[in-house]
Amino acid sequence: MIKEVKRNYLEITSLEKLKVSPAPSGNFSLKLLDPSNFQLNKFFYKNIGKKHKWIDRLVWSDSRWIDYVSNKNIKTYIFKKEEDLVGFFELLEHHEKKEIEIAYFGLLEEYQNKKLGSYLLSMAIKKSFEKNINRVWLHTCSLDHNNALNNYISRGMNIFKTETVII
């Protein structure tokens, strides 16, 4: 099936522009995944991505996943409620450009539509600016969660490029 998809690229160029969403009530935690664990990245990619057509990595072998998460420029953060997995984000540092890409970001379905995504995005942007960078950017598309684009804009990100792709 051929489908037209609108892709938006967004950026934020300083921490001062971030409109922080407050922390959720309850016993939530956010931790850098150290050491890396490709099984967790793979789990989130498959489970969050299944409704949004994340398909590129589904063909990856375990060794390719291990190589990916072992890259020193990739940092994965895991969001939990007590011991339950809630969501994640992957930050990809582009040293030469002094920028960080939020490569993947999402919540498991049972935690969506509870304002947790706003908080998690705030934290992804804050963690990114802990490095000496000039901007944080990401891309989203019309296949992502209905609230995704609005969440990015509400946190202070601006669209810098739009394109239509056929999948």
Side-chain angles (χ1 to χ4, degrees), residues 28-58:
F28 287 92
S29 63
L30 179 68
K31 299 227 184 323
L32 175 65
L33 191 57
D34 187 22
S36 62
N37 178 340
F38 83 96
Q39 293 287 11
L40 276 173
N41 289 70
K42 187 175 176 179
F43 167 82
F44 281 119
Y45 183 87
K46 286 175 133 182
N47 286 282
I48 294 169
K50 66 184 169 193
K51 289 188 79 173
H52 307 294
K53 307 279 190 278
W54 294 1
I55 57 172
D56 302 28
R57 296 181 184 181
L58 294 178

Side-chain angles (χ1 to χ4, degrees), residues 126-155:
K126 282 177 122 176
K127 293 288 182 193
S128 296
F129 277 111
E130 288 176 359
K131 300 276 189 174
N132 184 22
I133 59 164
N134 296 324
R135 77 174 184 148
V136 178
W137 68 278
L138 55 78
H139 66 80
T140 188
C141 75
S142 52
L143 297 174
D144 285 339
H145 190 279
N146 293 340
N147 295 335
L149 183 59
N150 185 52
N151 184 23
Y152 301 136
I153 292 169
S154 294
R155 301 288 69 75

Side-chain angles (χ1 to χ4, degrees), residues 4-9 139-142 159-166:
E4 193 172 277
V5 176
K6 183 176 180 182
R7 187 179 296 154
N8 290 296
Y9 294 79
H139 66 80
T140 188
C141 75
S142 52
I159 296 172
F160 68 90
K161 177 180 169 185
T162 301
E163 64 187 4
T164 300
V165 295
I166 306 297

